[in-house]
Amino acid sequence: MRAIDLYAGIGGWSLGLKLAGIEVVASYEWWQPAVDTHNGNFLGTVQPTDIRQLHMEDLPTDIDLVVGSPPCTEFSYSNRGGGGNLDEGLKDLIKFLEIVEHLKPRFWALENVPRVAQVLQRGLNDPFHPLYRFRQLKPRIEVIDFSDYGAPQSRRRCIAGNIPFDMIETYKHRLPRRTLGDVVDAIASDVEVTDPVWGCVLPARMMTECETEAALNAEELRMNRESKTYHPVYNNMAFPDSMDAPARTVTATCTRVSRESIIIDDGVGGYRRLSIRERACLQGFPITYQFYARSFSDKAKMVGNAIPPTFTYLIAQAALGIPADRFTTLAEAGIALTPPERVAPVTPPTTEGRTYPVGRSFRAALPGLRFKSGMRFELANARRKDGAWRVRFFFGPSVDIREIEMGRELLRQLRSSPLIKTLLMSTGVAFTAAEQTLQETTPDALQAAWTHRAQGVRPYEVADLLGELAAQVRRYLEAVPIDQQHAVIGYVMEAAAEGEVSDSIPGSKKLTINALAILSGLIVGAWFNTLPWHHQQCAVA
């Protein structure tokens, strides 16, 4: 069979197809580092190509299989919160389908992020949609998890086309389920490394891309742990990542402090991100594969953007009509793989940031005031006319998120209550101590410390300070008589209602259940947001 590979990337499609015995007669890719990597591993002569500008008459003929992974950036929910330019992304889907329509191959397959499944389904059924003219292709559209098909990584992707999906399903019992631990342990061998997926073997001295980063420092560790286990909006993740299951999705863009980064125990009491080789193995690339880019970040990008060749190999086997009882396993197909002669350049991993942009943002939920499902108190440095650092409280379902403004008016209303007035008198020492701690810095100095331009108090210390202060307030509220505790619910609901009927307040049940903690946060937040501290211009020496 003869195939072409559109939006070829670093060769995830070509590797799987070639290992199955399919001839890839042409590959097309625009990004130079990916082109270099594709050519370096396949000894090819691919030139950077803007696929949108391809002319149909320049394509090879007599093609049995068309495959490709159009750019997913505009469709990904991780890009600007899902606010990508869908019209721009559609241009590549349309070009891919135009080529399929022109070449009329026996089989074709397109891979992209899960959201594209909805885009295709809607477009092929809407007469006013740009994709409607391709409805005669009648693709089968599936969203699958590559960990079910031999990759040591949970990676959900849309696969659309007319490939024999049912035949691919028959191969699953021949595909061992690999884990993050399988990959890390295999690569850690200091004598001989056996690929945990493809079975090929290399002396440890010949292994490339195994350079590991220094352990996360205390601030990076806190940021990673917080973003995964206490994120103010999204669901919780494990920290560190579990070694006994397939890894989470390997992404193209991840820093030392991102929620998306896979973090593991470094074995000596610290935590680290993955090496390029570990990421590549999780993506299903063999230990022999080389990555010809000049920076760690470019290599991480090319690996994260790739399609696992473990699945493209299955597509090729199915296209060739190989039944399950004659299926050649991944380990059998890859046992003879060897590295290309030219070794990829060594690219040191990213180090901890010496400084960050002046406007570096900060956002963290306050300890003890995390209520899941979007309801949270958080300290943030959003730039506002009345100061940089504020405590904010959000509540309600994702379709109707509300905020209680914590400023002078709320503080005035709270202080009008005899209960709150007595509370503030009883906890006055704690509030005074907290204010004295804040006097060790200023808003500008706090930002300078956060951007590593100066030493001093850091934002997480302030978040912890406010969280502990709220805990002391809550302990006081828990000790008051039950009939007075019932009044607390009224204070919270009144603050949340802002003139509405209480029954119409979104998340009212959750507000009621957590009323003591929420009132504690409202008191501390309103106190902090109205401090004269916000107008200080220089740090105390």
Side-chain angles (χ1 to χ4, degrees):
M1 294 185 73
R2 287 162 50 86
I4 65 168
D5 179 4
L6 302 168
Y7 306 95
I10 60 175
W13 280 106
S14 290
L15 179 61
L17 269 56
K18 290 185 176 186
L19 284 174
I22 290 179
E23 180 187 5
V24 181
V25 299
S27 295
Y28 303 90
E29 170 59 37
W30 71 272
W31 189 38
Q32 187 66 60
V35 170
D36 294 340
T37 294
H38 199 289
N39 286 335
N41 283 280
F42 299 112
L43 305 180
T45 57
V46 175
Q47 295 296 316
T49 303
D50 182 351
I51 297 175
R52 292 183 183 182
Q53 303 303 317
L54 271 178
H55 297 294
M56 298 300 170
E57 58 270 21
D58 294 332
L59 293 167
T61 57
D62 192 23
I63 296 300
D64 303 291
L65 176 62
V66 174
V67 297
S69 301
C72 67
T73 305
E74 304 300 342
F75 298 110
S76 174
Y77 282 110
S78 65
N79 176 43
R80 298 189 294 278
N85 187 335
L86 298 187
D87 289 338
E88 188 66 21
L90 276 173
K91 293 177 182 178
D92 293 296
L93 296 184
I94 289 170
K95 187 65 178 184
F96 182 95
L97 295 176
E98 283 178 343
I99 292 174
V100 171
E101 192 175 53
H102 173 76
L103 293 178
K104 296 180 172 56
R106 182 180 175 193
F107 296 114
W108 63 275
L110 176 152
E111 179 255 359
N112 218 290
V113 294
R115 188 183 189 183
V116 169
Q118 301 171 6
V119 173
L120 289 170
Q121 289 164 350
R122 182 172 62 253
L124 295 172
N125 289 288
D126 181 356
F128 301 100
H129 197 282
L131 294 176
Y132 185 69
R133 64 187 174 100
F134 301 107
R135 63 192 181 283
Q136 76 283 353
L137 293 176
K138 298 180 180 178
R140 180 169 169 179
I141 303 169
E142 300 282 349
V143 175
I144 66 164
D145 186 334
F146 287 139
S147 67
D148 294 329
Y149 299 88
Q153 169 198 189
S154 294
R155 187 182 188 88
R156 295 180 70 251
R157 286 297 184 267
C158 165
I159 303 293
N162 67 344
I163 56 173
F165 282 94
D166 294 337
M167 181 167 284
I168 292 175
E169 289 298 305
T170 68
Y171 301 154
K172 289 174 71 172
H173 73 282
R174 305 287 304 279
L175 302 168
R177 191 167 180 82
R178 301 301 184 193
T179 67
L180 171 59
D182 292 336
V183 168
V184 173
D185 290 345
I187 293 174
S189 174
D190 56 5
V191 179
E192 191 175 72
V193 178
T194 300
D195 192 293
V197 174
W198 294 101
C200 50
V201 179
L202 280 181
R205 59 182 172 79
M206 291 182 64
M207 288 287 292
T208 60
E209 313 294 1
C210 293
E211 298 82 12
T212 57
E213 293 179 321
L216 300 174
N217 62 33
E219 182 179 87
E220 292 169 333
L221 181 60
R222 174 73 179 266
M223 291 179 69
N224 273 286
R225 191 188 300 273
E226 291 276 328
S227 66
K228 292 176 173 62
T229 61
Y230 295 117
H231 195 277
V233 179
Y234 302 114
N235 292 331
N236 289 355
M237 297 178 176
F239 185 92
D241 284 84
S242 172
M243 304 294 277
D244 299 326
R248 289 186 293 104
T249 301
V250 174
T251 59
T253 55
C254 54
T255 66
R256 285 173 63 87
V257 292
S258 75
R259 174 176 162 84
E260 292 75 22
S261 297
I262 298 172
I263 304 294
I264 63 173
D265 189 324
D266 67 2
V268 291
Y271 298 91
R272 67 172 176 86
R273 292 195 304 163
L274 301 179
S275 67
I276 294 297
R277 181 56 64 193
E278 288 165 334
R279 299 175 196 218
C281 280
L282 292 175
Q283 276 283 57
F285 284 89
I287 57 176
T288 55
Y289 217 76
Q290 300 297 298
F291 303 96
Y292 301 99
R294 297 189 178 277
S295 71
F296 184 93
S297 60
D298 273 357
K299 289 180 179 180
K301 177 180 177 180
M302 62 171 57
V303 170
N305 279 335
I307 181 173
T310 44
F311 190 75
T312 64
Y313 174 77
L314 304 183
I315 287 179
Q317 292 273 296
L320 290 166
I322 307 297
D325 60 355
R326 290 175 45 218
F327 173 75
T328 302
T329 66
L330 300 174
E332 292 168 335
I335 189 69
L337 285 169
T338 57
E341 289 187 11
R342 183 164 70 94
V343 177
V346 175
T347 49
T350 307
T351 58
E352 60 182 271
R354 294 182 179 178
T355 62
Y356 292 92
V358 173
R360 184 188 188 195
S361 63
F362 179 86
R363 184 187 189 198
L366 300 185
L369 296 171
R370 303 149 168 156
F371 307 102
K372 309 291 186 184
S373 303
M375 182 181 288
R376 77 271 186 195
F377 284 88
E378 66 179 33
L379 176 67
N381 63 349
R383 297 298 176 180
R384 294 155 55 113
K385 64 181 180 180
D386 53 351
W389 296 89
R390 287 290 182 271
V391 173
R392 306 177 71 184
F393 176 60
F394 299 93
F395 67 96
S398 58
V399 295
D400 188 15
I401 293 177
R402 309 267 183 110
E403 178 180 1
I404 294 179
E405 192 70 31
M406 288 180 288
R408 296 189 185 283
E409 178 58 25
L410 177 62
L411 193 59
R412 184 193 64 77
Q413 293 175 7
L414 291 173
R415 283 175 170 166
S416 67
S417 160
L419 171 62
I420 305 302
K421 189 177 296 183
T422 303
L423 181 155
L424 291 173
M425 291 176 61
S426 300
T427 56
V429 172
F431 279 91
T432 300
E435 186 169 5
Q436 289 175 346
T437 300
L438 288 171
Q439 293 304 317
E440 298 173 12
T441 185
T442 66
D444 288 342
L446 191 62
Q447 184 70 21
W450 178 232
T451 60
H452 292 195
R453 285 171 166 75
Q455 297 297 317
V457 177
R458 294 182 181 273
Y460 277 114
E461 295 177 67
V462 176
D464 290 344
L465 175 72
L466 297 177
E468 175 54 32
L469 188 56
Q472 293 187 54
V473 173
R474 181 176 179 175
R475 286 193 288 272
Y476 176 90
L477 290 173
E478 289 173 340
V480 303
I482 295 297
D483 60 329
Q484 293 187 50
Q485 287 189 22
H486 287 317
V488 168
I489 297 175
Y491 300 142
V492 170
M493 299 306 289
E494 183 179 353
E498 295 183 341
E500 290 187 40
V501 178
S502 60
D503 290 344
S504 66
I505 301 172
S508 57
K509 182 177 180 180
K510 195 169 183 180
L511 289 169
T512 300
I513 293 172
N514 297 287
L516 291 180
I518 291 171
L519 182 60
S520 303
L522 292 177
I523 292 170
V524 170
W527 168 82
F528 174 78
N529 290 347
T530 56
L531 282 176
W533 175 84
H534 293 282
H535 305 293
Q536 292 180 223
Q537 297 301 312
C538 59
V540 175

